[in-house]
Amino acid sequence: MLPPETVAAGEKFWDLEWSEHLAALVSNEARTSKLEKFFKNRLLLVPARSEAPSQLAAWYSALLVDWGVTLARTGHDAAAQKRFEQAVQLNTDNLMARVNQLANSNRLAGKTLSLGDGSALVQKFRNIQQIALVINAGGDVDEPALRYVVGNACLAAGWPRQAWAEFDRAATLAPEAVMPQLALAQIYSRLRFHDEVFAATKKLRAKVDATPAGKALEMELALLEARSWMSQTNAAQAEKVLSAVLANYPDDVPLAEAVFRSYLAFGDSAGALRMIEAQLAKNPDSVPALNNQAALLIQSGRAAEAIPVLNRALALTNVPSIQLNRAIAQVQLRNLDAAEKDYRQLTNAAVDQFSVHYGLSQIAELRRDTNAAIRHLEFCLTNAPAGGAKWQEVNARLQALGKSQLRLPPPNLPLSEGKPDDAFRKLTAPAVEITK
């Protein structure tokens, strides 16, 4: 809030400027306009005129708009209205002056603003650069739709704190609008202000039923809350939130997919597994669910449990990605013959050949067959984007094979804790599909 003495000093300055200089500019502009009209209508001529008064009037109009916005944002709406009206008198083409004058007059009349009130205005602008040009020329704006647009632009530019200020003002101007409040909750989540996330989601939940996209909003609120709980290492509470939204829409497949993706994003494989187990209890022959269950078991170092799940899935279908997952599990268990058989059957299949040959190179290394390992790694190198993560990892393994013999665990013995080495885990991670 501006101190009262600052407001008083500013108002005194502008009152003096108006009485001594600006009112005369308005009168001069009006007289010039009447003269131009007379010459154009009666004599079919347009008299030459100096641009200096118009430029000066436009400049002062923008300054008055800025001061009016400052007044409005600090709760001095009546004083702000006077300045916006003066800005319009100085420059009737000042769009920002007219927008502020209308929005502020509605607030003074007790009308609740909404984002829809400014939707037509927003559509006039092609992009945020054009909005910036208009604001720079005509002064700042205190209208919720434009403030929301500017907030999104700040967020896209990587300025979350500036976006926060814009969304907060938009939410203040249009307290019933959902989108600015949701944007604020998302920023709180991004900045890990967990208490603010919970307060914002609680407030927004009261609007879920009244929102056309109520289900989508409820899902977004659940994800925000779950993310905050996971950030505080409270997986149980996060799962409780996600389970609640699933219970509200038990047959909604896109919603289930979104929750499943969330578990994966949070790194909560236990929660994801429980969700899949619930799906399999309803539909034991769901191939995507079987594949996802096996993939998560492999990623958790539980390859032995994944094999029978994958065998069941392959009995139902011959999808190559499922066989690829089984090959990965067999390598993890050091069942090299079984793994090689799966990989060999996939060399001409519609599946990621990088993963196939990388797996074969791993088997060759474990068997101390350096030449075979190099052949498969060279294939991987030519089938990976140059300089990318896969390319760099394969190149490093090739260099290691060429310089010295790798120290590998004895064949047919599991690695420590039953997990693959880091490089193999990164490049041959089992494919997790979205459940259907």
Side-chain angles (χ1 to χ4, degrees):
M1 293 291 289
L2 287 178
E5 56 272 20
T6 302
V7 174
E11 285 292 87
K12 181 179 179 180
F13 168 82
W14 282 111
D15 282 339
L16 186 63
E17 281 294 304
W18 186 264
S19 63
E20 292 188 356
H21 304 293
L22 303 185
L25 277 178
V26 172
S27 300
N28 183 59
E29 290 292 300
R31 285 195 302 271
T32 303
S33 178
K34 288 180 180 179
L35 188 62
E36 285 181 349
K37 186 176 181 180
F38 171 79
F39 273 84
K40 183 177 181 180
N41 292 343
R42 299 292 180 89
L43 304 180
L44 302 179
L45 296 171
V46 177
R49 59 175 294 189
S50 170
E51 293 298 325
S54 293
Q55 292 174 359
L56 188 61
W59 183 67
Y60 270 112
S61 176
L63 291 178
L64 275 167
V65 168
D66 284 338
W67 175 242
V69 168
T70 300
L71 290 171
R73 289 187 175 185
T74 52
H76 300 87
D77 288 342
Q81 187 67 15
K82 177 181 177 180
R83 301 311 173 192
F84 294 144
E85 291 171 354
Q86 290 173 338
V88 172
Q89 292 178 57
L90 281 170
N91 181 9
T92 56
D93 293 330
N94 187 340
L95 179 61
M96 294 297 100
R98 291 188 174 278
V99 168
N100 284 304
Q101 181 187 32
L102 177 60
N104 196 69
S105 64
N106 285 334
R107 287 200 302 273
L108 285 170
K111 179 182 176 181
T112 300
L113 302 183
S114 70
L115 294 191
D117 294 337
S119 58
L121 173 66
V122 172
Q123 292 172 6
K124 291 179 179 292
F125 300 102
R126 292 188 299 270
N127 49 49
I128 187 61
Q129 288 78 15
Q130 191 180 36
I131 294 177
L133 287 173
V134 174
I135 290 176
N136 288 337
D140 204 354
V141 64
D142 202 37
E143 191 280 330
L146 275 177
R147 289 272 61 98
Y148 178 70
V149 170
V150 173
N152 279 320
C154 290
L155 202 58
W159 306 332
R161 293 184 181 274
Q162 291 89 331
W164 181 355
E166 298 296 337
F167 291 139
D168 185 63
R169 184 57 183 168
T172 299
L173 292 170
E176 298 303 316
V178 169
M179 296 311 295
Q181 295 180 47
L182 180 59
L184 281 172
Q186 291 167 339
I187 289 180
Y188 296 149
S189 177
R190 182 172 176 174
L191 298 176
R192 299 194 175 187
F193 293 168
H194 304 306
D195 290 343
E196 286 79 1
V197 169
F198 297 138
T201 54
K202 180 179 179 180
K203 183 178 180 181
L204 280 166
R205 276 217 163 78
K207 303 177 183 293
V208 168
D209 294 336
T211 305
K215 183 172 62 177
L217 176 60
E218 186 175 353
M219 182 64 219
E220 180 63 27
L221 298 180
L223 292 177
L224 289 170
E225 287 185 335
R227 189 175 296 116
S228 283
W229 286 121
M230 289 300 297
S231 295
Q232 299 176 82
T233 64
N234 193 334
Q237 191 63 37
E239 186 172 354
K240 181 179 178 181
V241 171
L242 294 176
S243 297
V245 75
L246 278 177
N248 288 341
Y249 306 98
D251 300 320
D252 192 301
V253 174
L255 184 67
E257 292 177 355
V259 172
F260 185 64
R261 289 192 189 97
S262 299
Y263 279 127
L264 297 180
F266 298 152
D268 184 5
S269 58
L273 276 170
R274 283 191 289 272
M275 180 177 173
I276 292 172
E277 288 165 0
Q279 291 175 337
L280 287 171
K282 296 180 180 179
N283 182 8
D285 292 334
S286 171
V287 172
L290 288 167
N291 187 49
N292 287 343
Q293 183 185 38
L296 289 167
L297 288 170
I298 297 169
Q299 290 176 354
S300 302
R302 299 159 63 184
E305 299 174 55
I307 294 295
V309 177
L310 290 165
N311 289 340
R312 174 172 174 74
L314 287 169
L316 297 168
T317 183
N318 61 351
V319 174
S321 61
I322 300 176
Q323 190 172 4
L324 178 61
N325 281 350
R326 187 171 69 178
I328 293 170
Q330 297 288 18
V331 171
Q332 194 176 113
L333 294 169
R334 293 300 181 265
N335 297 329
L336 301 185
D337 290 343
E340 183 178 18
K341 182 180 178 180
D342 276 336
Y343 278 130
R344 292 293 180 190
Q345 291 176 358
L346 292 170
T347 51
N348 294 314
V351 71
D352 179 19
Q353 290 300 306
F354 179 97
S355 296
V356 171
H357 284 271
Y358 194 88
L360 288 170
S361 76
Q362 181 73 4
I363 293 171
E365 287 187 59
L366 290 169
R367 288 173 171 166
R368 305 298 197 275
D369 188 347
T370 302
N371 290 333
I374 289 174
R375 285 198 305 273
H376 290 296
L377 288 171
E378 286 176 340
F379 176 93
C380 293
L381 199 66
T382 59
N383 285 273
K390 289 183 175 181
W391 188 93
Q392 292 180 24
E393 183 63 39
V394 172
N395 192 51
R397 292 179 82 86
L398 279 170
Q399 290 180 7
L401 285 172
K403 291 181 180 178
S404 61
Q405 186 177 4
L406 292 179
R407 294 184 178 181
L408 297 171
N412 302 317
L413 291 178
L415 291 171
S416 61
E417 300 179 2
K419 296 180 181 179
D421 62 274
D422 288 340
F424 187 59
R425 187 186 308 113
K426 284 189 292 185
L427 296 184
T428 61
V432 179
E433 300 174 357
I434 298 303
T435 55
K436 299 293 183 185

